[in-house]
Amino acid sequence: MDLLTISLTLGVILLLLLASGLWVALALMVAGLAAIFLMVPVPPGAVMATTVWGAINSWDLAALPMFVWMGEILFRTRLAEDMFAGLAPWMRRLPGRLLHVNILGCAIFAAVSGSSAATTATIGRMSLPELDRRGYDERMAIGSLAGSGTLGLLIPPSIILIVYGAATEQSIARLFIAGIVPGLMLAALFMGYTAVWALFNASRMPDPDPRVPYLQRLWQTRRLFPILALIAGVIGSIYGGFASPTEAAVVGVVLSLLLSWFTGTLDHSTFVEALRNASRTSCMIVLILAGASVLTVAMGYTGIPRALAEFIAGMDLSPYALLAALTLFFVVLGCFLDGISIVVLTASVILPMVEAAGLDIIWFGIYLVLVVEMSQITPPVGFNLFVIQGLTGQNILKVAGMTLPFFLMMIVAVALIVLFPQLALWLPQTMLAR
Amino acid sequence: MRQFLDRVYGLAEWLAMAALCLIALLVFAQVAGRVTDAGLALFGLPPYGFLVPSLAEIAGFLLVAASFLALAGSLRGGVQIRVTLAIGHLPPAARRAFEVAVLALAAAVAGFFFWYAVRLSADSLRFNEVSYGIVAIPLWIPQAAMAAGIGVFTVALLDDLTAALTGREPSYVTAAPDVTAGEEF
Amino acid sequence: QTKWEMPVPYGDTNFHTRNIVQFADDVKAATNGGLEITVHSGGSLFKHPDIKNAVRQGLAQIGEILGSRLSNEDPVYEVDSIPFVATSYDDARKLYAASKETLAAKLQEQGLQLLFSVPWPPQGIYTKKEISSVDDLKGLKMRAYNAATERLAQLAGALPTQVEVPDLPTAFATGRVEAMITSPSTGANSQVWDFLSHYSDAQAWLPRNIVFVNQAAFDALPEDQRNAVIEAAAAAETRGWEASVKETDEKTQVLKDNGIAVSAPSEELKKGLTEIGAQMAAEWAEKAGDEGKAILDAYNN
Ligand code: NA
Ligand code: NA
């Protein structure tokens, strides 16, 4: 069988398994095992055990359950309610009002968390129930959360930029700084879409909050203090030199417990309940990561992504045509693999191509992250979709539909980055000029 | 039997939760050590340099233990993600047949995984594989935790397979997953 | 036609990886395509900590790792990383010759055959201030990633601090770490000038990467192919050592070009470091027992 037939067969097997209701993580494992069994003379079971062990035994990943736990603790406090109440009077006039909290919350949280699943899980745990309670449109609430969860990858720290930096021997400091402007730009695009949507769909917005006199508004703002203290504490622990980004997740847990204790919501049962939920949710995400790692190692053995990338390399395209082809390629690959796997599996073939086309390697890293972070929200394998199905019970296809407008905003962001490379390059060149 | 199985699932979940707490404690101790040093510096005193040896490796091992030991609990809690869009529209009898088939396949994959996870751990023990950081930790220990978690997961799947075969509802269907917004699927 | 998978930990631009890609090409040419080795760079098939196990289990047939990663399994693996024992390429070559047989035997116990070994450039000290004596290291937070580097930091009066490689830029920028020991190669590749300023070319040790093959996979080859592998490996070793020397000059120059203050260690620093080295060598010999003593004796004669 040639690679194309094999790829299609595997894709169909995976879709059938998913459609039949097999758990996502196990479906990924079966597809990976099938690929190894069919194509490579190695024992699939031993490969699976070694690979899953290597994928989950990870310091960076340890931040995930901590952030999920933090979200569970905060969910049981009045933090979200306070935050929304404090923000509401200020956002009355902004079209889309509190829907923007999802986007801003993810953008701020992205400055602490390097992963998009953790960003989505932690922010969503607090914002979705509150938006629901206040009568906001569910489609927009879920779509904006799934979309802005991906900011976790672009705004530093970012696990995927670290992986790219290691594979290409580029400065991680520079990559991190280069991600800031595009990250903020993407957040602005999301907010812009939300505002425009709200203007055209006024009937689907909840009734506006009553107008609040200025002094009372200031008084209400005090309710933002706990969340601001929490954010300052976690970000401050990184930039004050007290914690690495991974360790900052635990600072978040400890501060959340303190907050919960001060506000009287911490007792034995809420503690155990939060911990149990965190353990179950992160177990779900980790098992899917484990399944994805089996599929990834199968792709490494069979060389399918590499061969596809080589096919593109062989077309000898002009830089813009090359970027268009690569974008399509990464989006299709992103439907089945996660972003980090895509970077790892294709770097060897893609980078010489990129260098030959005269593209800046730092710039390409930002472009690449922007493109592969779309994989987080494309079905059938998209981690933000799984996280949101876990949060809301809405199935991933429905969530993907709700996220589609935000996916299109990401395409716009890719186009902007391609047309104006300085969006990514200006800040590192200015800050680290020598 | 029912009570015994539930106790096994419960024990595994408590161990998983304990592993998460341990990660938090170890990391917090390291952060607190740095805060203490900053405090000492304020008084012009030399730093103490408190170090949790092999913190990153130990946290990785604990994460493995936490993640795999939580499997049965998260399955039975209805937290593991699946797509029921297609089979949700089937008539009850056909849906039950699908449920049995999916559970059988899931149990087979989990059992297969369990066998190789046990072999991985036994292999590490035989060849004296250890971690490479400051403290040499035998790898078979966290790998055994991984195998144990998958083992309990396999049992939980077989448990639900039995339920589905005897016409009862599997645990994850009756569990009300703790969703925060939106309708049930 | 036989196909081998070869996981390696470093990226495509790394000089070790380039050497290995050349090795794979040589094998293919010498066997007329009868043996094809696919190099999976940057940990893309198996990650660095899992590569040895994967090859031992036959999940991949051949692989590369940093040898001293195995130091907790047996002290023999870290003989190349005792500070200030073998600090030049000539000495490193001598030490490799003295230890090769023992090293190969240790790998043999796990069903692995040592093919070749190539050193990294000599390790130096990276800091944000000038280091002119061991006293200047006192109280600095120094990166420790295994027992030996922890001990070294302790003996120098520094505070051993654990930082994972990807976290180094942030850790230096925020002051969680203030000194690290690594090669000019790694320093230039991770573009240290973005977060620190001084490099003291202390030439502490020359750690080696080792390339090994699964014994059963090797034995399954026809004799001519086995010979082709051995010959290509010997050529790769020679080529790799030369490339490493060149790498040292080039990457040290890259550090200079990007504004890092590169300095040769002062006599005072050298003296202090040599004392630390002597103590660590003695401690290592005690830990490594008769085998260790035999290696050091063979090296010193
Ligand atoms: Na981030
Ligand atoms: Na996807």
Side-chain angles (χ1 to χ4, degrees):
Chain A
M1 274 198 280
D2 63 308
L3 280 182
L4 191 63
T5 323
I6 288 270
S7 318
L8 289 176
T9 315
L10 283 176
V12 170
I13 291 179
L14 183 58
L15 287 176
L16 284 178
L17 288 171
L18 288 171
S20 65
L22 183 64
W23 288 269
V24 171
L26 298 177
L28 291 166
M29 282 180 191
V30 174
L33 289 172
I36 296 172
F37 178 77
L38 291 172
M39 294 185 66
V40 202
V42 290
V47 171
M48 173 154 86
T50 302
T51 303
V52 168
W53 160 253
I56 308 308
N57 166 25
S58 149
W59 167 236
D60 288 331
L61 199 53
L64 176 83
M66 295 300 124
F67 279 130
V68 173
W69 188 9
M70 172 179 159
E72 289 290 340
I73 296 165
L74 294 177
F75 170 71
R76 287 166 174 76
T77 65
R78 285 186 9 183
L79 186 83
E81 195 193 323
D82 279 343
M83 175 173 70
F84 278 74
L87 284 171
W90 299 100
M91 297 180 82
R92 286 185 66 238
R93 309 271 302 270
L94 180 65
R97 283 178 274 154
L98 292 173
L99 281 175
H100 294 287
V101 173
N102 257 347
I103 302 166
L104 288 170
C106 285
I108 293 171
F109 193 79
V112 184
S113 157
S115 105
S116 116
T119 307
T120 311
T122 314
I123 295 296
R125 190 73 172 121
M126 290 183 285
S127 69
L128 286 184
E130 197 58 27
L131 285 170
D132 192 39
R133 203 173 63 79
R134 289 175 172 256
Y136 279 91
D137 185 70
E138 190 184 29
R139 292 183 63 86
M140 282 302 285
I142 289 181
S144 61
L145 173 68
S148 23
T150 64
L151 291 171
L153 299 178
L154 202 52
I155 295 177
S158 156
I159 294 174
I160 196 165
L161 280 175
I162 288 173
V163 169
Y164 177 82
T168 58
E169 298 191 330
Q170 291 298 309
S171 159
I172 290 166
R174 265 161 217 261
L175 284 165
F176 274 10
I177 294 170
I180 295 175
V181 172
L184 294 178
M185 177 187 81
L186 186 58
L189 282 171
F190 289 161
M191 289 179 72
Y193 170 77
T194 304
V196 170
W197 179 90
L199 285 174
F200 283 90
N201 294 278
S203 62
R204 286 162 69 183
M205 290 291 288
D207 293 333
D209 297 312
R211 203 188 146 77
V212 182
Y214 195 77
L215 271 178
Q216 206 182 328
R217 224 192 276 186
L218 278 182
W219 177 236
Q220 273 207 19
T221 308
R222 83 191 187 284
R223 297 181 72 177
L224 288 179
F225 181 74
I227 182 84
L228 290 177
L230 185 67
I231 293 169
V234 178
I235 296 185
S237 72
I238 298 179
Y239 293 99
F242 298 113
S244 74
T246 307
E247 292 161 348
V250 171
V251 175
V253 169
V254 172
L255 291 179
S256 306
L257 284 171
L258 278 178
L259 190 84
S260 175
W261 183 58
F262 275 130
T263 55
T265 48
L266 183 68
D267 59 34
H268 179 259
S269 82
T270 54
F271 179 83
V272 171
E273 222 179 285
L275 181 56
R276 173 174 288 132
N277 269 357
S279 149
R280 288 180 176 181
T281 302
S282 50
C283 163
M284 178 270 284
I285 301 172
V286 166
L287 189 66
I288 298 178
L289 280 170
S293 76
V294 178
L295 191 57
T296 299
V297 77
M299 292 298 109
Y301 273 116
T302 58
I304 291 173
R306 199 193 274 235
L308 291 173
E310 272 164 2
F311 173 74
I312 296 178
M315 291 197 290
D316 225 1
L317 298 164
S318 70
Y320 282 122
L322 174 68
L323 286 172
L326 285 179
T327 305
L328 185 66
F329 165 66
F330 287 128
V331 169
V332 171
L333 217 54
C335 288
F336 298 95
L337 298 171
D338 68 290
I340 291 175
S341 302
I342 296 173
V343 173
V344 168
L345 287 171
T346 59
S348 302
V349 184
I350 300 279
L351 280 155
M353 217 192 294
V354 168
E355 274 179 331
L359 299 168
D360 185 279
I361 302 291
I362 295 275
W363 174 85
F364 188 76
I366 301 303
Y367 155 86
L368 186 62
V369 170
L370 199 47
V371 178
V372 300
E373 76 177 40
M374 293 180 198
S375 68
Q376 300 283 338
I377 51 171
T378 50
V381 183
F383 279 86
N384 285 11
L385 306 179
F386 301 141
V387 168
I388 291 179
Q389 176 170 342
L391 283 174
T392 65
Q394 300 277 14
N395 78 68
I396 56 164
L397 291 180
K398 239 173 161 180
V399 178
M402 296 172 183
T403 312
L404 184 64
F406 295 89
F407 175 82
L408 297 177
M409 285 299 119
M410 294 173 81
I411 302 267
V412 172
V414 171
L416 286 173
I417 286 265
V418 171
L419 292 175
F420 307 105
Q422 283 303 312
L423 283 171
L425 293 177
W426 175 75
L427 199 55
Q429 281 166 0
T430 315
M431 280 181 69
L432 295 170
R434 256 196 224 264
Chain B
M1 187 64 183
R2 180 72 269 145
Q3 207 183 4
F4 171 73
L5 286 176
D6 285 340
R7 281 222 180 121
V8 171
Y9 306 144
L11 177 67
E13 186 155 62
W14 276 104
L15 288 172
M17 287 156 65
L20 287 186
C21 286
L22 208 48
I23 295 177
L25 279 175
L26 291 174
V27 171
F28 187 68
Q30 182 63 78
V31 174
R34 292 200 197 101
V35 173
T36 309
D37 281 352
L40 288 173
L42 279 182
F43 295 100
L45 296 166
Y48 178 74
F50 174 72
L51 182 86
V52 178
S54 287
L55 175 62
E57 282 181 310
I58 293 173
F61 297 158
L62 286 168
L63 175 68
V64 169
S67 305
F68 288 94
L69 287 167
L71 277 173
S74 83
L75 172 79
R76 297 178 65 79
V79 176
Q80 289 292 340
I81 298 291
R82 59 201 295 235
V83 185
T84 49
L85 192 64
I87 60 168
H89 293 294
L90 296 174
R95 181 168 177 166
R96 181 158 306 136
F98 257 100
E99 202 71 60
V100 168
V102 161
L103 273 168
L105 178 58
V109 176
F112 180 74
F113 191 3
F114 172 62
W115 168 243
Y116 281 98
V118 169
R119 280 185 48 165
L120 181 72
S121 178
D123 207 49
S124 295
L125 182 60
R126 185 176 148 217
F127 287 98
N128 182 33
E129 300 274 354
V130 289
S131 66
Y132 94 107
I134 292 178
V135 187
I137 302 164
L139 295 187
W140 71 264
I141 299 173
Q143 287 171 348
M146 170 167 123
I150 302 166
V152 178
F153 183 51
T154 311
V155 172
L157 285 163
L158 289 171
D159 190 355
D160 274 333
L161 178 61
T162 319
L165 281 171
T166 52
R168 284 175 290 139
E169 290 274 30
S171 60
Y172 47 85
V173 176
T174 47
D178 180 27
V179 297
T180 57
E183 79 244 28
E184 281 274 14
F185 54 102
Chain C
Q1 192 208 17
T2 310
K3 282 193 171 179
W4 278 3
E5 313 291 339
M6 181 169 192
V8 301
Y10 302 99
D12 297 281
T13 42
N14 189 279
F15 79 99
H16 287 288
T17 308
R18 287 206 304 263
N19 188 38
I20 282 171
V21 169
Q22 177 73 52
F23 160 77
D25 289 345
D26 289 353
V27 169
K28 191 177 172 184
T31 57
N32 292 319
L35 175 59
E36 197 178 333
I37 300 175
T38 307
V39 179
H40 300 269
S41 61
S44 59
L45 191 67
F46 292 100
K47 293 187 188 169
H48 202 165
D50 304 315
I51 289 178
K52 191 202 71 177
N53 292 0
V55 176
R56 177 164 54 64
Q57 294 177 66
L59 309 182
Q61 290 73 23
I62 176 169
E64 179 206 33
I65 60 165
L66 176 68
S68 52
R69 273 195 75 97
L70 305 179
S71 59
N72 280 345
E73 288 187 18
D74 196 302
V76 165
Y77 291 112
E78 65 176 336
V79 67
D80 58 358
S81 301
I82 314 168
F84 314 107
V85 167
T87 60
S88 67
Y89 278 96
D90 286 338
D91 286 351
R93 202 183 298 272
K94 222 175 130 193
L95 183 59
Y96 176 41
S99 59
K100 189 174 180 180
E101 214 169 293
T102 320
L103 183 64
K106 291 285 170 196
L107 289 168
Q108 195 71 61
E109 284 169 21
Q110 306 214 356
L112 301 170
Q113 181 177 332
L114 177 66
L115 280 184
F116 63 94
S117 179
V118 172
W120 286 87
Q123 310 275 297
I125 306 171
Y126 289 86
T127 46
K128 285 171 114 168
K129 59 168 199 176
E130 200 184 323
I131 301 292
S132 50
S133 72
V134 170
D135 274 351
D136 289 338
L137 290 169
K138 273 218 170 73
L140 281 191
K141 295 173 201 156
M142 186 188 258
R143 177 167 187 248
Y145 48 88
N146 58 15
T149 45
E150 186 198 25
R151 183 75 184 130
L152 174 59
Q154 282 169 347
L155 288 173
L159 299 171
T161 304
Q162 298 169 102
V163 179
E164 300 302 293
V165 175
D167 185 32
L168 279 170
T170 317
F172 265 101
T174 59
R176 264 185 291 123
V177 68
E178 295 162 320
M180 68 170 172
I181 297 191
T182 189
S183 67
S185 198
T186 307
N189 294 348
S190 48
Q191 313 193 350
V192 290
W193 47 88
D194 284 347
F195 51 87
L196 51 75
S197 52
H198 287 74
Y199 175 65
S200 171
D201 185 14
Q203 313 204 337
W205 66 90
L206 286 80
R208 280 181 285 101
N209 281 3
I210 51 176
V211 171
F212 44 81
V213 60
N214 180 293
Q215 192 66 59
F218 184 76
D219 292 342
L221 294 177
E223 199 187 343
D224 58 325
Q225 291 190 358
R226 267 181 290 171
N227 291 335
V229 170
I230 296 290
E231 270 167 39
E237 189 159 272
T238 313
R239 196 173 53 231
W241 282 73
E242 282 162 9
S244 182
V245 175
K246 218 173 122 215
E247 174 87 1
T248 307
D249 296 340
E250 279 175 12
K251 291 298 159 79
T252 309
Q253 190 58 42
V254 171
L255 291 176
K256 283 181 192 159
D257 291 348
N258 284 284
I260 295 280
V262 178
S263 61
S266 67
E267 282 307 316
E268 209 186 336
L269 179 62
K270 256 192 198 160
K271 190 168 155 281
L273 294 176
T274 313
E275 278 167 23
I276 293 174
Q279 178 166 354
M280 287 190 68
E283 288 173 7
W284 179 84
E286 193 170 320
K287 194 167 67 172
D290 292 343
E291 268 174 350
K293 264 191 212 86
I295 292 174
L296 285 187
D297 287 348
Y299 168 68
N300 286 324
N301 289 319

